Amino acid sequence: MILILLGAPGAGKGTQAQRLQDKHGLVQLSTGDMLRAAVAEGTEIGLKAKSVMDRGELVSDDIMTGIISARLDQSDCKNGAILDGFPRTEAQAEALDSMLTEKNLSLDAVIEMKTDDEVLVERVTGRYTCANCGAGYHDSFLKPAKEGVCDKCGGTEFTRRSDDTAETVKSRLQAYHNQTAPLLPYYRGKGILKQVDGMAEIDEVTRQIEALLN
Ligand code: ADP
Ligand code: ADP
Ligand code: ZN
């Protein structure tokens, strides 16, 4: 099963993708995480991507489709994958269609996480992640049971993304509305677009996604 989670920065894609991964044995493919790993390793792609990401703009379609295509070929994706943050442009969506055909895979559903822009700055600026296992948290909306200790792995070190600032969110939102939102009619036309209320509480969003998948 190949699923796409589509939504603005802070809509909850990563949060729900982690839950789907744990529950359904699908692999979460977050292009943002892959790019951040490339930046941290200082690879050629990472060097190119860093300044683009810090400006809140989009990394080139060629780089992104190359990364996803190579990743889908790895054996852990054979049961399926959740695409979190890809595709983000029409060119990426078209490239994904042809690569899936080539790899004999099919796209089962595209789930739009609908949110109002007003909530996204607070979501993004309050976001942090366990440095050890990558579990995501929020200062107000998703705290670990014990403050400062990761629920999943017991880790006590957390990181925040350098692009999770109020200013960058504005450019990222603009990129979302200009370049990514056009994918909604694209997938609606294919009859595979579904929607959940991204404004609802995290557990409720999970329930809505599970209901769609059943
Ligand atoms: P995305 O991957 O779409 O950018 P995340 O899943 O990282 O978004 O969510 C952004 C932040 O908002 C995280 O800190 C997360 O804990 C929190 N969050 C996610 N979904 C919700 C929700 N439905 N209500 C409130 N906070 C949420
Ligand atoms: P968010 O979770 O807030 O939506 P991501 O972690 O998905 O953000 O992406 C962070 C940054 O990485 C983006 O602002 C963009 O610069 C880059 N990026 C991630 N995925 C893509 C993509 N598919 N195409 C172009 N740029 C991307
Ligand atoms: Zn952890």
Side-chain angles (χ1 to χ4, degrees):
M1 171 156 68
I2 308 276
L3 278 183
I4 293 176
L5 294 183
L6 205 59
K13 304 179 295 292
T15 303
Q16 299 298 333
Q18 281 184 353
R19 292 179 171 205
L20 286 164
Q21 164 165 276
D22 294 345
K23 184 150 187 241
H24 295 279
L26 300 166
V27 179
Q28 172 190 10
L29 300 188
S30 159
T31 43
D33 286 349
M34 292 175 200
L35 289 170
R36 283 183 286 280
V39 170
E41 283 162 26
T43 65
E44 204 183 318
I45 286 177
L47 293 175
K48 278 190 193 153
K50 169 112 181 70
S51 58
V52 179
M53 293 168 79
D54 282 340
R55 287 196 303 272
E57 294 168 8
L58 295 183
V59 174
S60 81
D61 292 327
D62 285 353
I63 289 182
M64 298 316 302
T65 50
I67 289 180
I68 277 286
S69 177
R71 188 64 188 83
L72 282 170
D73 289 339
Q74 291 177 10
S75 60
D76 59 336
C77 292
K78 66 181 185 300
N79 291 330
I82 309 150
L83 303 183
D84 159 13
F86 182 93
R88 253 178 160 97
T89 64
E90 278 189 282
Q92 291 178 20
E94 285 161 8
L96 176 66
D97 282 342
S98 13
M99 87 176 71
L100 291 179
T101 308
E102 212 172 273
K103 297 181 197 299
N104 237 329
L105 295 168
S106 69
L107 186 54
D108 296 272
V110 179
I111 301 180
E112 179 195 3
M113 310 190 59
K114 284 176 78 82
T115 47
D116 297 340
D117 286 359
E118 294 80 56
V119 304
L120 299 175
V121 170
E122 190 183 7
R123 290 238 191 130
V124 165
T125 54
R127 160 163 67 191
Y128 62 97
T129 304
C130 173
N132 180 51
C133 77
Y137 295 98
H138 191 279
D139 290 329
S140 316
F141 307 133
L142 186 62
K143 300 180 185 178
K146 181 161 184 241
E147 205 190 314
V149 183
C150 175
D151 292 339
K152 276 201 169 169
C153 76
T156 53
E157 268 184 57
F158 298 89
T159 57
R160 288 179 191 260
R161 285 166 47 177
S162 63
D163 62 339
D164 276 350
T165 61
E167 306 80 72
T168 318
V169 177
K170 294 203 181 92
S171 342
R172 285 157 62 197
L173 257 178
Q174 215 170 1
Y176 177 76
H177 289 298
N178 294 338
Q179 291 168 273
T180 309
L183 299 185
L184 298 168
Y186 179 82
Y187 287 122
R188 193 175 293 119
K190 291 176 178 285
I192 53 173
L193 183 70
K194 303 183 192 291
Q195 289 169 329
V196 296
D197 178 11
M199 300 292 285
E201 283 184 12
I202 296 177
D203 289 345
E204 168 58 20
V205 179
T206 305
R207 276 192 288 275
Q208 291 187 14
I209 293 176
E210 291 297 332
L212 286 180
L213 297 182
N214 285 328

